[in-house]
Amino acid sequence: MSVLPLVFTSGWASGVNAYAVVLLLGAFGATGLSDDVPERLQRPEVLVVAGVLFLCEAVADKIPYVDSAWDAVHTVVRPAAGAWVGALLAGQSGSLSDVAAGLVGGSTALASHTVKAGTRMAVNSSPEPFSNIVVSLAEDLGVAGIVTFAMFHPEAAAIVAGVLLVAGLVVIFFLASRIRRFLRRRAQRREERRLAARAGPPPG
């Protein structure tokens, strides 16, 4: 059976929350629920590190503006994780070359990361913090659900991931004005901080 659907789905999920993907896949393999998970993802140290980083992301991802800073840092991390997981899955199955799987996983993760980061910029243009929490919880549940679904129905899960990716890109297109507003506000805050630092403390 081709591993491509699982590579594509894990790539999409990695672009949203790479640590959750590694943690879930490793847990499925370590508990014996799936034979398709590479041994490297099941190693205790990998699961511990993924778990700790997942908890860090779970907090940072729900705080306005902190989530966008976290996304900026993970612009490289998430695609790299998607490529790494895809290559490992391909090596486990032998039905797809590691390089091809890495390209599929990495590029899909980059696309879904772009959707996630852009959506957060649009959400951060709103002054209230509750939408960040709601969006973050929806993303966490979505990743958990689709990775679990992919372990048992990889083809169907890949179709769902593809639909979500296309829908997300369409949403980002329509949210472009809010994203630009967020970027302008962030640039304005940076300029204000720079001017305040240059001016120094007020005279006593």
Side-chain angles (χ1 to χ4, degrees), residues 120-142:
R120 288 313 182 85
M121 289 181 187
V123 170
N124 281 329
S125 66
S126 172
E128 47 79 28
F130 302 106
S131 53
N132 296 74
I133 297 174
V134 172
V135 172
S136 178
L137 288 173
E139 289 171 350
D140 292 342
L141 292 173

Side-chain angles (χ1 to χ4, degrees), residues 84-147:
W84 179 63
V85 171
L88 289 178
L89 291 171
Q92 175 81 358
S93 72
S95 62
L96 183 69
S97 76
D98 296 2
V99 174
L103 288 173
V104 171
S107 59
T108 307
L110 178 60
S112 61
H113 165 77
T114 301
V115 171
K116 174 186 171 71
T119 302
R120 288 313 182 85
M121 289 181 187
V123 170
N124 281 329
S125 66
S126 172
E128 47 79 28
F130 302 106
S131 53
N132 296 74
I133 297 174
V134 172
V135 172
S136 178
L137 288 173
E139 289 171 350
D140 292 342
L141 292 173
V143 167
I146 200 165
V147 170

Side-chain angles (χ1 to χ4, degrees), residues 2 8 26 29 58-59 62 94 129 187 196:
S2 174
F8 178 83
V59 175
K62 295 173 178 59

